[in-house]
Amino acid sequence: MLPDVFIQEGPIQARDETTMTANTTTEQIRIFDTTLRDGEQSPGASMTLEEKLQIAEILDEMGVDIIEAGFPIASNGDFEAVSEIAKRSKNSVIAGLARAIHADIDRCGEAVKHAGKGRIHTFVSTSPIHLKFQMNKTEDQVLDIITDTVTRSRNLIDDVEWSAMDATRTPIDYLCRCVEAAIKCGATTINLPDTVGYATPDEYKAMFEQIRERVPDSDKAIFSVHCHDDLGLAVANSLAGVAGGARQIECTINGLGERAGNAALEEIVMAVRTRSDIMPYVTRIDPKFLVRASKMVSGASGFAVQYNKAIVGKNAFAHESGIHQDGMLKNAETYEIMRPEDVGVKATSLVMGKHSGRHAFRDKLKELGFDLGDNALQDAFRRFKDLADRKKHVYDEDIEALVEDEITILGESTKVIALTVIAGTGGPQKAILTMDVNGQHITKECTGDGPVDATFNAIKSIVPHEATLSLYQVHAVTEGTDAQAEVSVRLEAGGRIATGKGADTDTLVASARAYVSAMNKLALRQQTGNPGALQAV
Ligand code: KIV
Ligand code: ZN
């Protein structure tokens, strides 16, 4: 029998009747978010447990049907993250990834068993190039592996997804045999990924049509798309796959993922919603969460969202040219096909200042969707007051940056306490830094080739380490010379990568915080053995 989430086939009532006319033939598309698995596989995008839990919480709340929470066999850290997300999820199915190996499947089953609704997602390569060079197996051997591993997964759990890695470069006759074997052994979802982002929309649609037509009992499984963006076609291909009969879309927030990334969840959701006139589908996603989720994932991964990114980019609803502004003033629909508020964009508001009290601050955090415990609230309030003293206007974006920074700092064993930097043309630039290292305050003074270098040298002299700096990026949170700087720092050591973020009106303080945050993540990864990015799956 298919698990609950699958039995809503056929006509369903549209979720939002203001945008979806009473269309009785509307079908539901399941949104399978893999930000925490495929997204986290991007080199440098690895996240802490705390960050993963927060992202899973917002995905669950926004209506994601299936959350792929990680790859449990990859590390103890990944196992813990999947298990913990499984325990906490309220509505979403929690999936874990497993190679076609018994140990992977068993470990995955262990992790997802805590979920109200759990899924094992197992995969094997099917294309000739993967069989020859990666697996060194024949087609018949891979068919036996599919039978063996799907059966093993079904013995552990009812909800099993099977993926044909590199499906789009697999001859259709052989792909039909593989899919048939997986369905026969009880796979409830069949995913046919465009692993290398090679397909075009017409080809991808035709592949689903042929497989569904030719494979016996194909109607017993839900078909799924999973598209990579190497040619910039991931979203178009995903929608084409749906036109070919797929009813699950695998995607990630901000399109995070291996290489050029995956199909972006926010683009899929808004395309389906905005063009409901030609796409008779609905998703369960509440789009008001999209911008917040995007910011959260960008903060945790350290991957900035490009300004012109569809739906969630800073400029996605900005109008610069006189003609566009004139049109917008007369009727927003002249140049906007979606309303910014639909995706959670709020007009920047000047809301808080140095006279705002703790109560107003707590209410503001609630409005922005943050629910902090007493200690975190206390610290965030102290930093807000400090910010309001230094910055003329405190915007919602400032508070968001400050609180996200606070959440990152919470639980870190090493923290920045005080920093004084002497900079200017005279040189050498000097940094005097005090840090809290496991409860002990240590101060060091260092020079460097510029103030940032001096600051990082001071950190290195307090906490000696071998990590090398592979990214240093500064963004202004709002406009004006008193804007908070949001800094991303990526460190690499021994094949492990970690990205940290810091925010402050002082770019150097933000830089020090970001560096220390990346250092803490790297240290954690070294302790838990989390490789930060999956090696050859
Ligand atoms: O891109 C891919 O093929 C994958 C599979 C593991 C589903 O991510
Ligand atoms: Zn993938």
Side-chain angles (χ1 to χ4, degrees), residues 37-38 97 121 123 163 165-166 191 193-195 226 228 250:
R37 198 278 299 168
D38 209 320
L97 186 69
H121 175 196
F123 71 97
S163 287
M165 193 181 228
D166 208 14
N191 182 34
D194 185 26
T195 303
H226 177 115
H228 282 268
E250 305 198 357

Side-chain angles (χ1 to χ4, degrees), residues 3-6 65-67 82 86 89 91-96 108-109 111-121 153 156-161 188:
D4 273 353
V5 71
F6 305 116
D65 298 285
I66 303 108
I67 300 172
V82 178
S89 87
N91 305 305
S92 312
V93 173
I94 303 302
C108 183
V112 301
K113 75 174 186 210
H114 304 286
K117 292 177 275 186
R119 170 180 297 188
I120 295 177
H121 175 196
S153 305
L156 296 174
I157 204 158
D158 285 345
D159 186 348
V160 172
E161 171 167 337
T188 44

Side-chain angles (χ1 to χ4, degrees), residues 232-292:
L233 293 171
V235 170
N237 281 341
S238 302
L239 297 174
V242 169
R247 289 293 175 268
Q248 173 179 289
I249 300 180
E250 305 198 357
C251 45
T252 58
I253 302 287
N254 296 342
L256 205 63
E258 286 273 21
R259 306 181 310 279
N262 288 66
L265 179 147
E266 58 278 6
E267 295 177 21
I268 299 271
V269 167
M270 291 313 288
V272 167
R273 194 179 151 102
T274 308
R275 296 308 312 272
S276 59
D277 54 330
I278 53 161
M279 289 188 268
Y281 319 115
V282 279
T283 72
R284 290 198 318 111
I285 304 294
D286 180 346
K288 292 214 166 48
F289 286 85
L290 292 176
V291 166
R292 247 195 83 208

